[in-house]
Structures are given as structure tokens and as C-alpha cells.
Amino acid sequence: MSAGLIIAIVVVALILLALIVALPRIRERTRLRARERELGERREQVARRHREASERLDERADVAERRARIAEQEAVRERAAAQVREERAEMHQQGLADHELISEDERERFAGTSAVQDGRGRVATDRDAERDRGEAAGDAGRSGVDARPIDEKEAARTRR
């Protein structure tokens, strides 16, 4: 055999021996990379699920905060309504709103009481009421202000 052939056989044998020794290490590295890739994919999946759950909870929290603000505003409104009712009760108890207790057709019956007094503390009569309306109409003509009661103004607006 020739020396070249022997050298070629020895070189091939060494290469095969190196491959036999290195091949398990290469396989192990390949398996390790595959496991790392799988683990990374699992991490991403779990992180994505946590983020989605976080977004849903955040949206629910926003809705709950809105409801809480609405409830707070309703509570404030209810408190204000209760305070208005309490003030009205105080006015009625002190006799400051007696005029609300009688209708127009009962004015004569309650004449002389606190329910039928004019703004000056005097007992109002029908003659005083007519005179006041006439003065208000005259003043309104001069000042440009509509002195009609609010109900009459509203009725005039709806007729237009």
C-alpha cells in the first residue's frame, strides 16, 4: 500500500472518530436549543394570556370606576333633593310658605291670614292685587321687562 493511501485512511479514521465523539454533543446541543425554543414559546403564550387577562380586568375596573362616579353623583343629587325638601319643610313649619297651601279660589276664605299677605307684610286684598298687576304692567312697558307671571309667559311662548 502506498503511503498516501495509508495517510488518507488514517485521516478518514480520525475524522470518523471525531464525529463519533462529537456527534452526541451536537445532538445534545440541538435538543437543548429545541427545549429552549419550546420554553420560550410557552413563556410567550403565558405572558400573552396574562396580558389579555390584565386588559380585561383593567376594562372592568374602568367600568366600575364610571359606575362609582355615577353613583356618587346620584348620591349628591339625592342629598341635594333631601336638603331642598328639608328647607321646604322648615319654611312650612315656620309659616313662610302658607301661600302654597291655598289655591286661588280659596284666597277669600283665607283672607287676613299669613297665607294671603302681600310682600310688604300687609294682608293682600283683591284690589291690591289688581293695582300691583297694573303697576307691573306700566313698569314693564317703561323698562322693557315682561312683568307677566311665569305661567303666562310660558303660555305665550307655546302659542307662537
Side-chain angles (χ1 to χ4, degrees):
M1 280 207 207
S2 78
L5 185 60
I6 294 176
I7 292 175
I9 291 175
V10 170
V11 169
V12 170
L14 288 175
I15 291 174
L16 285 175
L17 186 62
L19 280 175
I20 291 172
V21 172
L23 196 57
R25 290 181 185 168
I26 293 171
R27 285 184 186 154
E28 186 61 32
R29 271 193 238 139
T30 305
R31 255 187 260 134
L32 187 59
R33 283 188 202 132
R35 288 182 194 144
E36 286 292 332
R37 204 174 319 121
E38 182 182 350
L39 186 58
E41 289 172 1
R42 287 183 184 182
R43 285 181 194 142
E44 288 299 318
Q45 288 174 353
V46 170
R48 186 177 61 247
R49 281 185 288 198
H50 283 298
R51 284 188 187 104
E52 290 170 355
S54 172
E55 289 173 5
R56 283 192 305 271
L57 289 173
D58 195 35
E59 289 171 3
R60 286 176 45 196
D62 287 343
V63 170
E65 286 174 352
R66 285 185 195 142
R67 287 182 182 152
R69 283 193 300 269
I70 290 170
E72 183 178 357
Q73 291 170 355
E74 288 175 352
V76 167
R77 186 172 45 242
E78 290 293 325
R79 221 172 272 119
Q83 189 175 3
V84 166
R85 290 288 185 144
E86 182 60 31
E87 290 293 329
R88 283 188 177 156
E90 288 292 324
M91 286 181 65
H92 281 286
Q93 191 170 23
Q94 294 171 2
L96 300 175
D98 289 347
H99 62 281
E100 293 178 1
L101 302 177
I102 62 167
S103 63
E104 284 296 320
D105 59 336
E106 294 179 312
R107 289 190 84 97
E108 287 182 25
R109 182 174 162 215
F110 288 94
T113 65
S114 62
V116 189
Q117 289 185 351
D118 65 1
R120 297 176 206 109
R122 298 180 308 162
V123 175
T125 63
D126 288 338
R127 194 174 338 137
D128 291 336
E130 287 176 22
R131 183 178 33 94
D132 289 343
R133 279 192 212 121
E135 288 174 6
D139 291 343
R142 280 175 271 166
S143 66
V145 176
D146 191 356
R148 290 179 294 173
I150 294 174
D151 292 337
E152 290 178 24
K153 292 178 191 174
E154 187 64 34
R157 259 191 247 142
T158 57
R159 280 186 239 140
R160 290 182 192 164

